[in-house]
Amino acid sequence: MKAKFITLDGIDGAGKSTNLAVIREWFEARALPVVFTREPGGTALGEALREILLNPATHAGLRAETLLMFAARRQHLEDVILPNLANGVNVVSDRFTDATFAYQGGGRGVETADIEILENWVQQGFQPDLTLLLDVPLEVSLARISASREKDRFEQEEADFFTRVRTVYLQRAAAAPARYAVIDSNRDKAVVKAEIEAVLSARLLGE
Ligand SMILES: Nc1ncnc2c1ncn2[C@@H]1O[C@H](COP(=O)(O)OP(=O)(O)OP(=O)(O)O)[C@@H](O)[C@H]1O
Ligand SMILES: [Mg+2]
């Protein structure tokens, strides 16, 4: 199997980190090489930018924020994603460009066409092979994040912001069903796990 780039996306608290463990087990059980990474982050530069981007004390306008996301992403592609894929190692990323369309586009109001310009410049046509979109209603997301930790700069936004973010994710998935699998993450963890395993087997191995 040619190495694949798999991304996990969805609103805060949807269960991305939780289900990375499910994906890890799936790859390990089949002895398939894989690395796990995240955005913003994944490199020294990216993790430094992540600190800035998630810090509630940071003041960044919507264009500056979008550029920082793509700066982190370009380094991540060059240093981690593309070299691993070239070496036959699968790459799984906790968030990728869908998050920029959802948060900076839907949430903040950056024009989709402007994000697409940056996407084309930074990715040169490169896209994930598979994106698992974990979807939960807003109330579930809010309940999960407030129960689990202190809120970062994005998590402090108001409910309408997250409604717009979720809507963009769902619209993108509906527009390109070949790339996405939308997973209803508002179910028991074991049920979500079983569905993710089935999606990986079907989409990556044709089983
Ligand atoms: N299916 C589920 N049922 C109940 N609780 C869940 C489920 N999935 C995840 N959770 C819980 O919700 C909280 C948030 O989950 P998690 O950290 O995996 O979300 P996330 O998408 O990674 O969030 P973020 O975007 O903020 O990193 C955790 O406490 C986790 O245990
Ligand atoms: Mg997480």
Side-chain angles (χ1 to χ4, degrees):
M1 148 184 154
K2 185 175 159 290
K4 298 288 194 327
F5 180 45
I6 297 139
T7 64
L8 218 63
D9 240 302
I11 58 176
D12 297 82
K16 297 178 296 298
S17 302
T18 302
N19 290 299
L20 275 176
V22 170
I23 298 174
R24 185 187 298 278
E25 280 175 31
W26 186 91
F27 275 94
E28 283 175 358
R30 287 158 185 79
L32 294 170
V34 64
V35 295
F36 291 84
T37 186
R38 68 173 181 181
E39 290 210 350
T43 66
L45 175 66
E47 291 293 332
L49 291 173
R50 180 187 183 92
E51 285 284 319
I52 293 169
L53 282 159
L54 298 190
N55 184 347
T58 295
H59 169 72
L62 78 187
R63 290 181 175 81
E65 181 179 291
T66 304
L67 289 167
L68 291 176
M69 290 291 183
F70 273 108
R73 181 161 302 132
R74 179 62 213 179
Q75 205 61 43
H76 195 206
L77 279 163
E78 279 181 29
D79 291 357
V80 178
I81 300 171
L82 298 176
N84 274 293
L85 293 173
N87 285 335
V89 178
N90 297 285
V91 179
V92 179
S93 185
D94 184 340
R95 293 196 184 284
F96 194 61
T97 309
D98 289 298
T100 309
F101 283 99
Y103 284 78
Q104 281 67 50
R108 302 274 194 234
V110 178
E111 292 291 340
T112 305
D114 290 337
I115 300 175
E116 283 170 348
I117 289 168
L118 295 173
E119 178 188 39
N120 288 332
W121 190 60
V122 164
Q123 296 172 215
Q124 303 281 306
F126 176 81
Q127 291 290 343
D129 296 291
L130 172 64
T131 296
L132 300 171
L133 176 58
L134 296 173
D135 184 56
V136 291
L138 193 62
E139 318 77 70
V140 174
S141 156
L142 296 177
R144 286 184 185 175
I145 56 183
S146 57
S148 63
R149 62 201 130 76
E150 234 171 84
K151 292 183 176 179
D152 68 32
R153 199 165 67 87
F154 293 99
E155 290 165 355
Q156 292 182 353
E157 289 295 332
E158 83 284 18
D160 282 359
F161 176 92
F162 290 105
T163 302
R164 297 193 299 274
V165 170
R166 182 185 180 208
T167 300
V168 170
Y169 274 129
L170 291 171
Q171 285 170 344
R172 288 178 63 75
R179 167 151 79 89
Y180 295 87
V182 181
I183 314 280
D184 175 2
S185 188
N186 188 22
R187 295 174 297 174
D188 193 86
K189 282 182 186 176
V191 177
V192 176
K193 176 176 193 277
E195 183 170 342
I196 289 176
E197 289 167 347
V199 166
L200 293 174
S201 295
R203 299 283 192 104
L204 302 184
L205 302 178
E207 286 173 359

